[in-house]
Amino acid sequence: MSFLVITHVRKSFGGAPVVDNVSLQVPRGEFFALLGPSGCGKTTLLRMIAGFETPDSGTIAIDGETMNAVPPHQRPTNMVFQSYAIFPHLNVFDNIAYGLRKLRLPKDSLRAKVEAMLATVRLEGLGGRAADQLSGGQRQRVALARALVRAPKILLLDEPLGALDKRLREAMQLELRAIQRKVGITFVLVTHDQEEALSLSDRVAVMEGGKILQVASPRQLYERPVSRAVADFIGEINFFHATVREITAETATVNAGVLGVFALPAANLAPGIKAGDHILLAIRPEHVRFSAQGVAGEILTSTFLGERSHFHVRIPGRTKPVAVSGHAPPAGAAHLVFPPENLIGLPSNR
Amino acid sequence: MVADRGRNSHEGYVLLAPTLAVMGLALAAPLLLMAITSLKTQNGLGFADGWTLAQYGEVLGRASYRALFLRSVLISATVTLVTVGLAYPMAYFVAFHTRHKFIWLVALTIPFWTSYLLRVFAWKIILGFNGVINSGLMKLHLIDQPLSFLLYNPFAVVVTLAHAWAAFAILPIYLSLEKIDRSLLEAASDLGDSAVRRFLRITLPLSMPGVIGAAILIFVPTTGDFVTPELVGGTKGTMIANLIEVQFNAAGNWPLGAALSLVSMAMVAVIAGLFVASARAATKAAR
Amino acid sequence: MKNRSLSVYAFAYLAFLYVPVLVLPVFSFNDSQFIAFPLSGFTTRWYAGLAADTALQHALGNSLKVGLVTSLLSTLLGLTAAKAVIHYRLRGTGPALAFISLPLFIPDIVLGISLLLLLSAVGLPLSLAAMVMGHLLVCVPFALTVLIARFEGFDKNLEEASTDLGENGWMTFWRVTFPLMLPGIAASLLLTFVTSFDEFLVAYFLSGTEATLPIYIWGQLRFPERLPTVLALGAIILTVSVALVVLAEYVRNLGVKKVMVGA
């Protein structure tokens, strides 16, 4: 039985639906991400789970209990806000202890809980610090500790790392992952940063225009996107127009015009594609190889990125250059090779 | 992130209602009543039946009343100019040239924690025949006779009011100067402006909202003040408010008083409106 | 450098502001009934005279009563209106605010007179209650300005965070909203009290038989022999005000340096 069950939830603010017939299931203990561009409805969905917005239709159930009629302060969820929302008139200790006050725990037990949480988020000894004396990274950890100390069934995070600089963000990502593993609570993270979603989560739901495009593990999303929108959103990818000649149990034969004819594994085709369909053939830049023979091309730009370089290569019959990621080509003409096992077939209309 | 409060907006109206009701009762209804009263004539302790525009005819017809209106407007305008003009450098100093802003602001507002009436009276003492200035100048043998032009004339009214309303000028101007993004000033310097040019092209225009606000905040109430003219204005410095006050006390002609009030209110509103409009236009044109 | 002349100007301006104010204490200790130079010597008899002046004390009491009620009511009205306007997206917010702020742009004498007309038309007597009503007109716009500025700087997420952490509406208000609004509320209370306490023009028309302090002072200004006593009162009010401000600042800084709790 899934822990968080969202069924046919719809929400609009007086115009087009912001969340359009979304259904999701998240098992207990999973690190789940809602990924999408601004305005795709992911934050609204998160706020509906927290109880700050009510669905127009559909249900949200947590651990078997329907939550629609439950107000936010009675839900077994806690949220880390994008702005952190640290109470400015309370110090770190009182901020973290805020949600525990009504439990009327004995003083020692309260202190022990808070200090354990301070240790978990690595802010030991800073209990007495005033709110306005915290750095961005510290505020983020206080917000996290404050939410976690109540041991919610689900922790909701609304773009928690957006305000941090790159290095801090990467460090926090690792910590967040470690904390989630340690406490074992279900995390639902909202973000527009696909790298973040892919590196942190067990599974990701890609959203656009209020709808879910695909729910899958990061690897699956990267290697087997089911639509152009998903493929485009996650990482960089090259698209070529092609037609499916025939499909057998093992192989699909695809005619890609200037690039030639390819025989790819049938599993590389998105579900629902039949023989004769016009498709988009897609391949990631790091899978395109330079070789002595293949499609002749002309290198337009080359950018050195450290462990690898990025190239834009023009090939005949195609205006947009092919993105290639790898090491420098052999001297002389650049020829491109497209290994069939790395080619993905996607539906041509969205 | 827009949280829709559509569902709860009736709560918002409920919260707003009491304040609107109180202000409506205490402001709209009385003003309406004043308009009604201005259309009547006094008859002993009450009003005669029937409506008439006679009061307005009197207000606008009498040359002495018209002269009084003109004088009041001129005095208030002068007060506004002097107060704002003197206050601007002070506000500028606090905004840009000191680290102890709070102390300065407190020091600047403390004088206004004394009774307004006593402050006006204090100016009477200072400007008077035997007052501080005259005694001091005589002691220093700079004059033989006390100066008589200091008191009981428009000059005294202007000085007293300029002092009384100083805080109302300093604070709005200070706030709008404080709001100016310091990096704008740095950018101007970086692009070649001297300190003076930068002031004229950036600081002054950006502080205009505060200046305009201060001007209106001072101009409007000073037209309605009868205390200062009565205490230090003498006969040459009376203002329209003195005339209005008399109608409600000694002369007992409420309709005339009401008509005078409404006319002066309308006049002040029109002038203020013209001022704001032209100030805004001037600021835009100067870009 | 411009800096120098500006500093000189600033201090000169400050002197200009304080000179009339200093007249009060100087002549309140002057041993002469006439407020004129030269000074006649030191005395405290005018201060002693204050204790015997029952009319003055009565007026002072009235001013305190009116001031207190006005400040509480106008702050409350300003608070509800500010919250309504900032937290809820209501239609007609602009016009509503403009209407509430209207008294700032109408001469006080007009406000006083029009209320006088209202009371006389309805047949109600002039009284301290009438004065409170008039003062509300004058003070609510100030309260509203202060409180709106305070609300605007308020992170809305804070109330949501409190709800998220388990507190219902009332507790959220008590534990988060109210403490954070307190400085704004205190500022509003203070501003409106001071405004009401010193307000003369509106009170003048609405006072009837009960005088407030400014009205009492106005009456005294015609009697030269009563003046030094009045100045003594003015000097006391000034001292008390300054002391209050200093105290308030001290208390405020105490709060800021709060020593850690529970560390």
Side-chain angles (χ1 to χ4, degrees):
Chain A
M1 171 88 173
S2 278
F3 200 58
L4 169 65
V5 180
I6 299 174
T7 317
H8 297 306
V9 163
R10 191 176 266 117
K11 176 78 181 170
S12 82
F13 290 113
V18 173
V19 174
D20 196 355
N21 198 10
V22 165
S23 297
L24 281 176
Q25 281 125 54
V26 181
R28 186 193 298 261
E30 182 168 85
F31 198 131
F32 190 82
L34 295 171
L35 173 67
S38 316
C40 70
K42 55 193 195 294
T43 301
T44 309
L45 187 58
L46 194 78
R47 286 170 64 83
M48 283 196 277
I49 302 173
F52 295 119
E53 311 283 357
T54 322
D56 294 336
S57 62
T59 56
I60 296 179
I62 298 177
D63 201 7
E65 227 187 295
T66 311
M67 289 283 139
N68 287 42
V70 180
H73 62 279
Q74 287 170 359
R75 293 203 187 193
T77 59
N78 283 118
M79 189 145 131
V80 178
F81 291 80
Q82 191 169 4
S83 69
Y84 308 142
I86 305 292
F87 300 123
H89 57 303
L90 304 175
N91 63 16
V92 168
F93 186 96
D94 290 326
N95 257 286
I96 297 178
Y98 184 89
L100 297 177
R101 294 276 176 219
K102 62 194 293 201
L103 299 177
R104 299 197 190 285
L105 300 170
K107 235 171 155 191
D108 299 327
S109 147
L110 179 74
R111 171 173 300 213
K113 269 189 192 284
V114 173
E115 297 204 338
M117 196 47 68
L118 280 170
T120 306
V121 298
R122 304 212 279 119
L123 285 177
E124 301 99 322
L126 290 179
R129 185 78 56 96
D132 57 9
Q133 288 176 340
L134 299 171
S135 70
Q138 288 171 331
R139 295 165 76 85
Q140 203 268 342
R141 281 183 261 173
V142 171
L144 187 60
R146 184 177 70 183
L148 279 177
V149 80
R150 281 171 43 94
K153 293 186 178 173
I154 302 181
L155 185 72
L156 308 166
L157 302 107
D158 187 2
E159 313 227 29
L161 304 180
L164 306 175
D165 66 67
K166 187 161 193 275
R167 177 166 282 192
L168 194 54
R169 201 172 342 145
E170 284 169 5
M172 275 312 300
Q173 282 170 3
L174 292 175
E175 277 196 43
L176 214 51
R177 192 76 175 114
I179 291 173
Q180 195 266 344
R181 286 230 165 85
K182 179 171 163 203
V183 299
I185 293 180
T186 312
F187 274 29
V188 177
L189 170 87
V190 155
T191 179
H192 63 273
D193 183 336
Q194 40 110 342
E195 272 181 34
E196 187 165 289
L198 295 185
S199 61
L200 289 178
S201 342
D202 298 320
R203 282 192 314 148
V204 180
V206 180
M207 285 183 74
E208 195 186 67
K211 293 188 163 52
I212 304 249
L213 298 179
Q214 185 175 357
V215 183
S217 70
R219 176 178 288 272
Q220 273 216 296
L221 279 180
Y222 191 79
E223 293 182 348
R224 294 284 177 269
V226 297
S227 73
R228 177 188 186 143
V230 175
D232 223 351
F233 194 77
I234 311 259
E236 200 186 358
I237 197 162
N238 294 296
F239 290 115
F240 305 97
H241 290 288
T243 327
V244 179
R245 272 216 201 136
E246 69 163 336
I247 309 178
T248 69
E250 305 276 320
T251 331
T253 317
V254 174
N255 179 357
V258 156
L259 295 183
V261 177
F262 297 96
L264 17 138
N268 287 20
L269 287 181
I273 293 183
K274 312 177 297 295
D277 279 352
H278 189 59
I279 61 167
L280 288 172
L281 208 55
I283 185 166
R284 299 269 178 206
E286 64 269 20
H287 294 143
V288 180
R289 291 220 197 88
F290 287 112
S291 167
Q293 289 170 315
V295 179
E298 177 199 339
I299 297 183
L300 295 177
T301 68
S302 110
T303 315
F304 179 70
L305 293 171
E307 79 256 6
R308 44 183 50 215
S309 298
H310 192 277
F311 306 92
H312 280 121
V313 180
R314 200 212 317 264
I315 57 173
R318 193 183 145 80
T319 32
K320 192 171 176 191
V322 178
V324 182
S325 171
H327 300 287
H335 293 269
L336 296 179
V337 164
F338 304 91
E341 64 270 17
N342 297 122
L343 287 167
I344 312 167
L346 297 172
S348 181
N349 312 323
R350 265 169 213 226
Chain B
M1 182 185 67
V2 170
D4 178 53
R5 292 284 198 160
R7 240 180 345 128
N8 294 337
S9 65
H10 78 273
E11 273 175 33
Y13 287 114
V14 164
L15 275 179
L16 193 56
T19 314
L20 280 180
V22 167
M23 299 307 274
L25 184 62
L27 184 63
L31 284 178
L32 189 62
L33 214 57
M34 178 178 270
I36 294 176
T37 309
S38 69
L39 296 171
K40 296 216 163 266
T41 43
Q42 192 81 30
N43 185 3
L45 282 173
F47 304 133
D49 285 330
W51 308 91
T52 169
L53 287 174
Q55 311 302 345
Y56 287 99
E58 176 123 1
V59 168
L60 299 168
R62 275 222 208 166
S64 59
Y65 286 2
R66 287 204 302 270
L68 195 58
F69 274 115
L70 186 63
R71 189 202 296 165
S72 302
V73 167
L74 283 176
I75 291 181
S76 293
T78 312
V79 169
T80 306
L81 213 67
V82 169
T83 314
V84 170
L86 287 180
Y88 195 101
M90 183 72 244
Y92 189 90
F93 175 82
V94 177
F96 290 106
H97 288 294
T98 173
R99 248 184 268 265
H100 312 288
K101 293 183 205 231
F102 188 75
I103 296 182
W104 269 96
L105 287 174
V106 169
L108 287 167
T109 31
I110 284 182
F112 304 96
W113 289 61
T114 52
S115 160
Y116 166 65
L117 291 165
L118 290 179
R119 271 180 280 139
V120 174
F121 184 73
W123 276 107
K124 192 166 159 152
I125 299 174
I126 294 174
L127 297 170
F129 207 69
N130 290 321
V132 174
I133 293 185
N134 276 327
S135 310
L137 290 178
M138 297 234 322
K139 267 254 174 74
L140 292 173
H141 298 296
L142 288 170
I143 51 174
D144 317 308
Q145 290 289 331
L147 304 167
S148 60
F149 68 81
L150 293 176
L151 194 55
Y152 300 127
N153 53 27
F155 169 77
V157 174
V158 170
V159 169
T160 308
L161 286 176
H163 179 267
W165 290 89
F168 280 80
I170 296 175
L171 285 175
I173 298 176
Y174 165 76
L175 285 175
S176 72
L177 282 172
E178 187 64 13
K179 262 196 198 153
I180 298 179
D181 185 351
R182 298 296 184 255
S183 62
L184 294 176
L185 302 173
E186 289 177 351
S189 295
D190 184 64
L191 292 165
D193 272 352
S194 67
V196 172
R197 266 181 80 72
R198 185 179 70 186
F199 172 77
L200 289 174
R201 296 178 73 190
I202 308 283
T203 317
L204 191 58
L206 287 178
S207 64
M208 263 311 148
V211 171
I212 295 176
I216 301 293
L217 213 54
I218 295 172
F219 179 73
V220 171
T222 51
T223 58
D225 184 10
F226 66 84
V227 170
T228 302
E230 177 148 343
L231 287 180
V232 302
T235 46
K236 288 178 278 174
T238 52
M239 291 170 70
I240 197 67
N242 298 94
L243 187 60
I244 296 176
E245 187 257 334
V246 158
Q247 304 309 322
F248 285 93
N249 280 325
N253 188 349
W254 286 20
L256 182 60
L260 283 168
S261 301
L262 285 173
V263 169
S264 81
M265 209 169 86
M267 194 178 58
V268 165
V270 164
I271 294 176
L274 283 175
F275 171 70
V276 173
S278 60
R280 289 232 179 98
T283 319
K284 279 211 175 93
R287 291 220 185 109
Chain C
M1 235 228 86
K2 187 178 174 189
N3 226 333
R4 220 13 180 23
S5 51
L6 199 58
S7 305
V8 169
Y9 179 87
F11 282 100
Y13 189 86
L14 204 58
F16 163 67
L17 286 187
Y18 272 89
V19 162
V21 168
L22 293 174
V23 163
L24 298 176
V26 164
F27 282 100
S28 70
F29 290 112
N30 186 30
D31 196 359
S32 157
Q33 273 203 357
F34 297 102
I35 316 289
F37 279 109
L39 295 177
S40 313
F42 188 87
T43 176
T44 57
R45 61 179 161 128
W46 306 118
Y47 287 88
L50 277 177
D53 194 339
T54 48
L56 180 147
Q57 288 159 15
H58 190 71
L60 181 63
N62 283 341
S63 275
L64 287 173
K65 281 187 226 166
V66 169
L68 223 54
V69 174
T70 303
S71 72
L72 286 169
L73 280 180
S74 56
T75 299
L76 185 63
L77 289 175
L79 197 58
T80 52
K83 183 162 174 73
V85 154
I86 299 279
H87 275 183
Y88 300 88
R89 304 175 110 225
L90 304 172
R91 255 174 297 194
T93 296
L97 283 180
F99 179 69
I100 296 176
S101 309
L102 211 49
L104 284 174
F105 303 100
I106 298 179
D108 288 353
I109 186 177
V110 173
L111 295 176
I113 290 173
S114 57
L115 266 179
L116 174 67
L117 291 174
L118 177 68
L119 291 172
S120 128
V122 172
L124 284 175
L126 302 174
S127 62
L128 291 183
M131 239 183 281
V132 168
M133 187 125 214
H135 281 183
L136 279 181
L137 267 187
V138 173
C139 292
V140 164
F142 287 131
L144 192 62
T145 309
V146 169
L147 291 167
I148 282 188
R150 188 74 193 167
F151 264 115
E152 266 172 358
F154 193 87
D155 182 0
K156 207 154 78 87
N157 278 163
L158 293 174
E159 288 179 326
E160 282 185 347
S162 171
T163 315
D164 180 69
L165 291 164
E167 300 290 18
N168 63 22
W170 170 248
M171 287 307 289
T172 294
F173 174 81
W174 187 243
R175 293 187 70 191
V176 176
T177 319
F178 185 70
L180 288 172
M181 286 301 298
L182 212 48
I185 293 177
S188 168
L189 284 173
L190 195 59
L191 184 63
T192 50
F193 178 80
V194 169
T195 307
S196 163
F197 191 76
D198 193 32
E199 207 286 325
F200 173 72
L201 289 170
V202 171
Y204 179 76
F205 290 100
L206 299 176
S207 65
T209 49
E210 292 289 333
T212 55
L213 197 57
I215 296 172
Y216 175 81
I217 295 176
W218 175 254
Q220 300 306 302
L221 288 175
R222 291 148 208 275
F223 303 107
E225 67 273 13
R226 318 241 32 195
L227 286 171
T229 320
V230 174
L231 293 185
L233 176 64
I236 291 181
I237 296 177
L238 177 63
T239 319
V240 169
S241 315
V242 173
L244 273 178
V245 170
V246 169
L247 183 67
E249 194 39 32
Y250 178 70
V251 165
R252 196 176 74 98
N253 282 333
L254 267 188
V256 162
K257 292 191 191 96
K258 217 188 314 185
V259 180
M260 320 98 69
V261 177

